[in-house]
Each structure stands twice: as C-alpha cells, then as structure tokens.
Amino acid sequence: MPSSTAEPTTPPTASPATGYRSLLRNREFAGLYAGFTLTVAASTLSGFALGSLVNHQTESPFLTAVSMYGATFATVLGALTLMSVADGNRPRRTLVTLQGASLVGVAAQAVPGVPLAVRFGLLLVLGFFQSLGTGARMGLLAEVVPTSTYALARSLMNITSGGTAILGYAIGAALLRHLGPQEVFVIAVALTGLGLGVVAATIRERSVRPARRPGLRRTWATNTALFSRKRQRVLLLNLWVPNGLIVGCEALFISYAPQHAGAFLAAGSAGMLLGDLAVGRLLTAAQRHRCAFALRLLLAAPYLLFAFQPPVPVVMAAVFVSGAGFAATLPLQEQLLALTPDPVRGQVQGVESAGRMTWQGIGAAIGGGVATYLTPGASIAALAVVSVAVTLASRACSGPDSERPPAVDAQ
C-alpha cells in the first residue's frame, strides 16, 4: 500500500517495545492471524491459477491482468453498501458467515469447464464478500490488540502476507507445471476451508459493542463523515492510488515475461516482507512518520527501469526494492486509526481496505489497457511515472489540518 502525504503536524509518539511473540500469545489475535494467512495463501494460488488459465485461453494482457485482480473491483460495492456490518454487535458470526461465502465462491472456481464469463462474475462476488470480511477482521483486530500495538500487529500480518505470497507464487508456478489450474483451485478451496475453521474455533463473540443496526443508510452516513475531512481524504488518496498503479505494473508480469512472472511476483513479495519487518518492528512511530514520503517514492521509482528492457536479474532486484516501499502503508494506517472513533473502526478500516483493493483492480485494468497499445515494459514504466507524479502532487497540495477528527455517527 502506498504511504501517506497527509502527515500530521506532530508526529505520533513511539510505541512500546512489544514483540511479535507477545502478540501471538493472544489466542484471538493468533486465530485472526492464522485465518488471514490461510486466506492469503488460497487467494494467491487461485489468482495465479486463474491468470495462467485466462492467459492460455485468450493470450490477452488485459484479460489476464483483470483475472488476477478482478475481485478487487467489487470491494468498492461492499464499502458503499453494507460495510457497516463490520461494526455490528456480533462480529464473530459476521466474519464466519462471510468467510463461508468466500469458500463457496472459491469452490465454484474449481468446477471444470466453467466459462470465462462466469469466472469473472465469481470474481466480483468474491470481491464483495472479501471486502466485508476484511472490515470485520480489521474491526476485531482493533479490539483484540491495544491501540499501541496496532501498527505492530498490522506489520506482522503484512509480513505474513508477503511471505505467504512468495511461497504461493513459487508453489503455484511449480504446481502448474505438473497439475492443471483446476487442481490448484482445489488446493485453494482446502486452504480457505481451513482458515474458516481456525477463525470459528479461536475467536469469541464480542459483548462490549453497542447494538447497531447495519445497513445502507448507516454505511453512507459514516462514509460521508469520513470523506468530509481533508486529512482523511488525503490519507485515503495516498493509501489507494500510487499503490494501485504499482499493482498494475505487477499485473503485467505474465505478459512481460511469462516464464519469469512467478519469480518477479515472489521478488516483490520478498521486498514487501522485508520492508514491513523493518518499518513495523524496528522503527518507532515517529521514525515511521518521517520516512513515509521516501517509502512512497521507493514504491514506484524502480519500475522506471522497465522502459529500458533490463536483464532478468536487474528486473528482480528492482521489483524487490520496490516491494519495500509498500511498508509506507503502516504510518498511514496508524494516522487513520487515530482519527477514527471507536464505534466505527471496522467500517473505516474496511473502506480503506476496499478502496485500496479496488484501486489495485483499477491499476491492473489500466495496465492491461495501456499494454494493448504499448509494449508491456513501456506500460509498466508509464504507470510508475504516474504513481510518482501522484505522490509528489499530493504532498505538495496537502497542508496541516488542525481540526478535530470527523464527528462520525456512531449511534
């Protein structure tokens, strides 16, 4: 995720020295963490399998990119309609139900002979339920761990996401040399089901939340309050747009070099893992705040090398370095959490995640569309230029916002 330009006038204070092991001793956090890990593994395998299947059948850079990230388009529907369910008074039941719906969708992808049009429809359904599930999970996370360790918890989950993606892409590429996409989908179904079981067995129902009736009206009221504030708008812009454009670069890897796409994706995930580890574990909150802008630039700048068609080792190094820039998300998420009233944390974090995922889909679609007119390498470099420009422009136009956090309706 991109980093922030909406930097507060006073940097946050340093976080207490708390380690990952102490977090994992919390049974509920360990359950959320394990369920999240299994979900990422399943999503990585199924996305890579679907992208390979679509590329084989259509040889279209646009359709291949959209197939890998198409589920992200539907996340905005969740953010605009029912994201308030993330702050309901039965979050465990909500999360288990949504993960069950995702399991059904992944299982449907494993059915042989499904037409591509149906597969793309399933992607949209999955994206909708996954966006609501993310809001419910992040709302629970903000209650399961203290606010002072929230960035550390998100760092660990981001590291796990990167590490799991490394293994997922590498294993997915190896599996597809011996198995068909349908068999890989079956493995993804098993992982999704296991993640559902872990969450159901470890997370308790919350009794401290006020009774709230989620729905379209409440979702819109909270979103209106969220976007009425300049600081929140700029934070969300930087969490969404530059990040989405770089994901659009990654979506072109299969078209750029099909035989090396898995290695490129794994290199990017490795860089993300290292960046989140260093920024989340080794830096204080004030240090994260200070390095946020540099990390945003680091996210996009290495992709400019694609304009020169560099050799594979150089590409892998550039993608690895760029991956570390995704750690800029952590200081942005800390700032957004600090500006969010407790009763609507789940929805606000769900909106942030949904917008970020949606922009990843938009970035993939833009990249695929540009690649129909330019070479994949030139398209990747063009997206990187735009990402850098957005980061610079948003920093230049952002100013201090000394007003209080938005008065979001938490009734």
Side-chain angles (χ1 to χ4, degrees):
M1 305 176 194
S3 55
S4 135
T5 37
E7 297 159 12
T9 52
T10 303
T13 58
S15 301
T18 304
Y20 293 135
R21 283 184 292 182
S22 64
L23 280 173
L24 291 171
R25 284 195 290 268
N26 180 329
R27 182 172 182 268
E28 287 190 284
F29 174 75
L32 282 175
Y33 170 75
F36 170 76
T37 301
L38 291 165
T39 299
V40 170
S43 177
T44 301
L45 285 178
S46 61
F48 196 68
L50 183 58
S52 299
L53 186 151
V54 171
N55 186 60
H56 176 73
Q57 291 187 8
T58 68
E59 298 184 351
S60 166
F62 176 77
L63 291 178
T64 299
V66 171
S67 68
M68 292 185 68
Y69 298 97
T72 61
F73 286 114
T75 58
V76 71
L77 299 178
L80 294 176
T81 57
L82 295 178
M83 189 58 75
S84 55
V85 303
D87 295 302
N89 62 345
R90 293 187 179 274
R92 176 191 177 276
R93 183 175 66 180
T94 299
L95 181 57
V96 168
T97 300
L98 292 170
Q99 292 204 195
S102 295
L103 175 62
V104 173
V106 176
Q109 291 281 24
V111 176
V114 175
L116 288 184
V118 175
R119 292 192 184 279
F120 281 110
L122 287 171
L123 281 179
L124 296 178
V125 173
L126 281 170
F128 178 80
F129 286 115
Q130 287 171 356
S131 70
L132 301 181
T134 297
R137 182 183 295 111
M138 292 300 106
L140 279 167
L141 177 65
E143 296 179 9
V144 165
V145 303
T147 301
S148 59
T149 61
Y150 176 80
L152 192 70
R154 289 299 296 261
S155 167
L156 180 57
M157 296 180 84
N158 290 347
I159 289 169
T160 300
S161 176
T164 304
I166 293 171
L167 293 175
Y169 289 130
I171 293 173
L175 289 174
L176 287 171
R177 293 178 181 175
H178 305 284
L179 303 174
Q182 304 305 140
E183 288 81 4
V184 177
F185 281 131
V186 170
I187 297 173
V189 171
L191 293 173
T192 303
L194 185 57
L196 171 60
V198 168
V199 169
T202 57
I203 305 301
R204 65 179 176 86
E205 195 61 273
R206 319 306 289 182
S207 59
V208 297
R209 291 187 178 187
R212 303 177 72 237
R213 180 176 297 177
L216 181 62
R217 182 178 178 181
R218 187 167 300 282
T219 299
W220 273 94
T222 301
N223 288 348
T224 300
L226 172 64
F227 286 100
S228 68
R229 306 295 299 185
K230 178 181 178 181
R231 181 178 294 183
Q232 282 83 339
R233 289 198 304 269
V234 178
L235 281 171
L236 292 173
L237 168 70
N238 283 278
L239 280 161
W240 292 350
V241 181
N243 162 270
L245 293 171
I246 297 308
V247 170
C249 296
E250 296 176 344
L252 294 175
F253 285 166
I254 291 179
S255 301
Y256 178 81
Q259 68 276 28
H260 300 297
F264 292 167
L265 290 167
S269 297
M272 184 188 302
L273 185 156
L274 180 62
D276 280 312
L277 176 62
V279 174
R281 183 68 182 92
L282 303 180
L283 301 184
T284 66
Q287 289 169 336
R288 285 193 292 271
H289 170 80
R290 288 195 295 269
C291 72
F293 179 68
L295 287 170
R296 289 199 299 276
L297 293 179
L298 183 66
L299 177 64
Y303 280 97
L304 299 175
L305 292 174
F306 278 78
F308 306 101
Q309 299 291 316
V312 169
V314 174
V315 170
M316 290 188 66
V319 173
F320 173 82
V321 171
S322 168
F326 281 103
T329 308
L330 293 174
L332 293 183
Q333 290 172 335
E334 281 184 299
Q335 293 175 54
L336 186 62
L337 183 68
L339 293 169
T340 303
D342 291 353
V344 293
R345 280 181 170 181
Q347 178 172 339
V348 170
Q349 291 176 88
V351 168
E352 181 271 316
S353 177
R356 182 161 31 87
M357 296 297 291
T358 298
W359 262 97
Q360 290 178 5
I362 292 172
I366 292 174
V370 172
T372 61
Y373 301 98
L374 304 177
T375 65
S379 301
I380 290 171
L383 291 179
V385 168
V386 177
S387 181
V388 170
V390 170
T391 294
L392 294 172
S394 60
R395 191 189 201 204
C397 73
S398 66
D401 184 354
S402 58
E403 300 176 49
R404 292 177 295 176
V408 179
D409 178 14
Q411 299 290 322

